[in-house]
Structures are given as C-alpha cells and as structure tokens.
Amino acid sequence: MVSKNTIKRITSLSQKKYRNREGLFVAEGTKVIKELLNSSLELVMLYTVDDSAFAKALQHHSFEKLKQVSSLELKKITFLKTAQNAVAVFKIPEQKKIDRSGVTLVLDEVRDPGNLGTIIRLCDWFGISQLVCSIGTVDCYNPKVVQATMGSLTRVAVVYTDIEAYLLKEKRIVYGTFMDGENIYSSSLPNEAVIIMGNEANGISKEVESYVSERIAIPRFGKFQATESLNVATAAAITLSEFKR
Amino acid sequence: MVSKNTIKRITSLSQKKYRNREGLFVAEGTKVIKELLNSSLELVMLYTVDDSAFAKALQHHSFEKLKQVSSLELKKITFLKTAQNAVAVFKIPEQKKIDRSGVTLVLDEVRDPGNLGTIIRLCDWFGISQLVCSIGTVDCYNPKVVQATMGSLTRVAVVYTDIEAYLLKEKRIVYGTFMDGENIYSSSLPNEAVIIMGNEANGISKEVESYVSERIAIPRFGKFQATESLNVATAAAITLSEFKR
C-alpha cells in the first residue's frame, strides 16, 4: 500500500519548489530507471508493478527500497498520461564543480523541458561533459526533462549558475548563434570553446550577447524568407556537430 | 455565439478520423494562423478574441469567415492547455504530386508529433520541398504538428504514401542512417538523393532497409557506450546539414 501522504509527496515533486525542498526527483519507466540505478545516483524508493524487471538492476541497492504496487496505485503517483510500469524517487545529487576545458555548452533561458532533454542527450552523444544553464533555464529534474534525457542526465553535468558571472571569468573563445553571424560551415572552430544557445522566443539576451566574441550562423537554404529560425535543440545539434566533426 | 454542435465538430478535429472525414484541420495562435492565411490554404472559419490582430492578414479572405468570440468560448474549442487568442479551421489541401528531384526526406513510421513538426521546419530551412511519409507516420495535420511547424507546413509538401512502392521506383541514391553506417562526416554526399529516417524506437524497418544503398552514421563522440541513439529530429538536423553544407 502507498499511503495518501506518500502519494501527495511524490506528486508534489512535479514542482521545482518541492523538488528543491525535498532534494528529490522522479523518474519513470523501466528503461530510464534502470539507467539511473546504474549510475552514482542514490535511490530513495522504487514503486513497480513488476519487481522482476528490476532484479538485476537493484543488486547494489537495498531491497527495502523496492515496493511492489498495483496498477491503480501506480496510476496515482505517475506524472505521465499513461503510467509506465514503474516510478522511482531519487536524491538530487550535488551540483558538479565548474570545469573550464574542452567544449562547454551554455543555455541562456531555455524554457522547454523537451528541448533541454534533447540538448542533454546531444551533449552526451558529442562527449560534452558540462552543460551550464542560466538560473531561469528549465530545471533538469523536471519530470519531462528526466524522461526526455533517457539516462544521459547521469553522464552530463548540468550546472545552474549566473551565466554572466560565469562568462566574465571565461578565457576560452565564446561563440553565440545569431542570424547575422558568420557561416558556421566555413568558420574554423576550436577544440576549446564556449557555445551559447538562447531562449526559444528571444534568442540570446542582450546582457549575455556582450560576452560573445564570435557570432556564428547556420545558413538557411530554403528560398522562403518567412522560414522561422530553427528550434533551439536542432540548432544545438547542428552547431555541436560542426564543432566535433 | 459558437453553437454546441460547432464546438463538437471543431474539437473532433483533434482526431485523424474526423479530420479526414471533414477534410479540415485546426491551427491556433496569431503567429501560426497568420502564416497559414498568407498561403494558398483555404480558411473555413477563424475564431478570435481579438479580430484587430487579423485585420491585415484577412484582407484576401471573406470577412464572414471571422468570428469574434469570448475567452470562455475560445477555451471550449482550443486543443491547448492554455488557449491562445485564436483558433482557425482550414481545409486540408490536396496532396502534392511526387517530385523525384533534389534531396527528398522519407520518414518510416515517425510517431511523435513534435518530431514531425521539427522535421518539417528543418526541411523548410534546408530548402527540401518534399517530405515523403509512410502511411503509419503521424498525420501532419495533427494539431501538435501544426503548432510545432510554425507555418513551415505551407512551404513543404508532405506526401503520405506506401514508401516501399515509392522506393521501388526510385533512381536516386537511397541513404539510410544506421549505427554501423559509414561516417557521415567523411562520406561524399550528392545533391540528388533520398534520405530515410526511421521510427523513434525501432529505426528503419527491415522491409524499408532493403531499399537503402548507402548506410551512413553520425559518429558518437561521447566515451559512454550506454548513450542512447540521437532523437530522430536531431539526427535529421545533422544529416540534412551534412547534405547541404
């Protein structure tokens, strides 16, 4: 049985305020949970309708942390429209120290959980170990972000900080994507760099723009001038691909 | 006043079955609707709380097609959690003829509306005028796709067809992305080609794979072998960028 109070506490974790207060976040589905169990994250409790699915993954965790529940109970604690077969609560780990080597991606107020999740996966794919986010960027422990990252969250250090203060101390070249920037396909791109991606609607803010030393652009090939700018996650995909290729 | 019957008919358009039966689809929000009004699409009716916002865009449309409604009425017909200031119903245009020139992107059972929307925007950006989708690919008139395309839907011809029959008649080189493919960064990529992107969970199906003549891969730079494959929309972004750069 899952008590009313537990249900209330778990469901409250959909909100950042309660995640921070409790220091906990939620992951759902066998695949994502298994990846998180395989990392250094600390499991608080795993609720599942099928404990056999986790037998191996739970080897290094106390068996008291697994709770077999009914589908009805799982429905009460899921954040998804259609519940997966498991919901797990993990401790939010301490934020990693800032590392100023290699390529670092900086997000200036990215708001959409799906975009952040995709960008974390991209960092993982391209071997970018640190993602620096402005304080107003969507929380990486937002349940939608956790679902979208598919485990990459455990391999990319996401750091929330005042990005102006961060950029002020930066010695690497700082790149930003702008419509009027230099063609990224013909720019020479270094192995050590900071790349800033901006907000979905407004791009890079004026304050942050002043720290950009190299303005780059992904050229548009379509003949229609009306074409909207690229989505921030696809722009990040192309930009990281160009830096790493 | 919007009648109960009208509310019922509009909200039914969230389902493909009713979109096809009525030959209609819905778009929401000033920005998207304005872009669609500026295209060859036929407007059926525009419901808005702020008709002044559409004064210019509606110039070439009959004024009888605009209906001023209350916020409460708009709430009843919106598909979004938070209603924008307008909902418009358009006729679904006739499917364009298949055009076998330049670069064509083919989608094999892409299911997520956000992914399809992003891919349509990418095609628009990279000047790819035709997107060929398998019958099981999510409908491009799904409200979530319409919102995600931001008007690109009017500039990219999306064609639904039996892609095996389509590929059987194809004379251009057919590329497919696979984990074990040739490094896309060192492949020579032609100006005339067909590129297949697969389903989110299963990739390109066995049946469709047999039509692929060139297997390409986006190399993984991360040191973690556990890293999930890239999301189909970000993989499409990098692949199209490589073909067009």
Side-chain angles (χ1 to χ4, degrees), chain B residues 138-150:
Chain B
V138 56
D139 180 28
C140 67
Y141 296 106
N142 175 306
K144 285 181 192 160
V145 178
V146 175
Q147 290 316 108
T149 58
M150 307 286 281

Side-chain angles (χ1 to χ4, degrees), chain A residues 64-113:
Chain A
E64 290 154 355
K65 294 190 170 173
L66 184 129
K67 197 160 196 145
Q68 180 93 16
V69 294
S70 68
S71 305
L72 202 70
E73 284 177 308
L74 202 70
K75 238 184 185 162
K76 287 181 187 163
I77 55 173
T78 185
F79 296 155
L80 306 172
K81 269 189 200 157
T82 320
Q84 302 257 18
N85 56 356
V87 168
V89 180
F90 288 94
K91 282 202 182 158
I92 293 177
E94 265 192 64
Q95 196 162 283
K96 291 263 169 64
K97 287 238 171 71
I98 280 173
D99 167 25
R100 296 184 188 267
S101 67
V103 172
T104 300
L105 194 62
V106 173
L107 303 184
D108 182 13
E109 309 290 281
V110 167
R111 305 278 193 215
D112 181 76

Side-chain angles (χ1 to χ4, degrees), chain A residues 31 118 121 124-127 150 155 185 218-219 221-222 224 226-229 231 234 238 241-242 244-245, chain B residues 31 118 121 124-127 155 185 218-219 221-222 224 226-229 231 234 238 241-242 244-245:
Chain A
K31 201 169 171 179
T118 305
R121 275 175 77 178
D124 189 16
W125 185 268
F126 284 112
M150 307 285 281
R155 292 181 294 267
Y185 300 133
I218 300 165
F221 291 83
F224 302 101
T227 305
E228 278 289 322
S229 61
N231 163 290
T234 49
I238 294 165
S241 173
E242 283 300 315
K244 290 289 183 170
R245 79 193 294 279
Chain B
K31 202 168 170 179
T118 304
R121 274 176 76 178
D124 189 17
W125 185 268
F126 284 112
R155 293 182 293 266
Y185 299 133
I218 300 166
F221 291 83
F224 301 101
T227 305
E228 279 288 322
S229 62
N231 162 291
T234 50
I238 296 166
S241 172
E242 284 300 315
K244 289 289 180 171
R245 80 193 295 276

Side-chain angles (χ1 to χ4, degrees), chain B residues 13-77:
Chain B
L13 298 176
S14 67
Q15 290 176 61
K16 188 177 169 184
K17 180 173 74 174
Y18 294 104
R19 283 196 297 276
N20 288 347
R21 187 179 295 173
E22 305 251 5
L24 302 173
F25 75 96
V26 170
E28 303 201 44
T30 314
K31 202 168 170 179
V32 174
I33 293 173
K34 275 187 179 170
E35 284 219 46
L36 301 187
L37 288 173
N38 250 323
S39 73
S40 61
L41 282 177
E42 190 178 332
L43 176 67
V44 173
M45 191 61 85
L46 170 58
Y47 304 89
T48 179
V49 292
D50 175 22
D51 57 356
S52 67
F54 294 95
K56 193 153 171 266
L58 270 174
Q59 275 183 145
H60 309 291
H61 298 266
S62 160
F63 69 91
E64 292 155 352
K65 294 192 171 174
L66 184 129
K67 196 162 195 140
Q68 180 93 15
V69 294
S70 68
S71 305
L72 200 71
E73 284 177 309
L74 202 70
K75 238 183 185 164
K76 288 181 184 161
I77 55 173

Side-chain angles (χ1 to χ4, degrees), chain A residues 74-209:
Chain A
L74 202 70
K75 238 184 185 162
K76 287 181 187 163
I77 55 173
T78 185
F79 296 155
L80 306 172
K81 269 189 200 157
T82 320
Q84 302 257 18
N85 56 356
V87 168
V89 180
F90 288 94
K91 282 202 182 158
I92 293 177
E94 265 192 64
Q95 196 162 283
K96 291 263 169 64
K97 287 238 171 71
I98 280 173
D99 167 25
R100 296 184 188 267
S101 67
V103 172
T104 300
L105 194 62
V106 173
L107 303 184
D108 182 13
E109 309 290 281
V110 167
R111 305 278 193 215
D112 181 76
N115 284 340
L116 178 59
T118 305
I119 290 170
I120 293 171
R121 275 175 77 178
L122 278 167
C123 286
D124 189 16
W125 185 268
F126 284 112
I128 289 166
S129 56
Q130 199 158 63
L131 178 65
V132 175
C133 299
S134 65
I135 303 295
T137 291
V138 57
D139 181 28
C140 67
Y141 295 106
N142 175 307
K144 285 182 192 159
V145 178
V146 176
Q147 289 317 109
T149 58
M150 307 285 281
S152 291
L153 191 52
T154 65
R155 292 181 294 267
V156 177
V158 186
V159 176
Y160 287 80
T161 190
D162 176 334
I163 60 171
E164 285 190 66
Y166 170 86
L167 292 168
L168 193 62
K169 291 184 193 159
E170 187 54 56
K171 289 193 177 72
R172 288 170 291 175
I173 303 175
V174 178
Y175 288 80
T177 51
F178 297 91
M179 298 299 276
D180 66 352
E182 193 196 339
N183 184 336
I184 192 170
Y185 300 133
S186 48
S187 304
S188 83
L189 305 169
N191 294 326
E192 300 256 323
V194 172
I195 309 164
I196 307 176
M197 307 295 304
N199 168 270
E200 285 87 350
N202 309 315
I204 295 173
S205 62
K206 280 280 159 231
E207 297 74 27
V208 172
E209 189 179 339

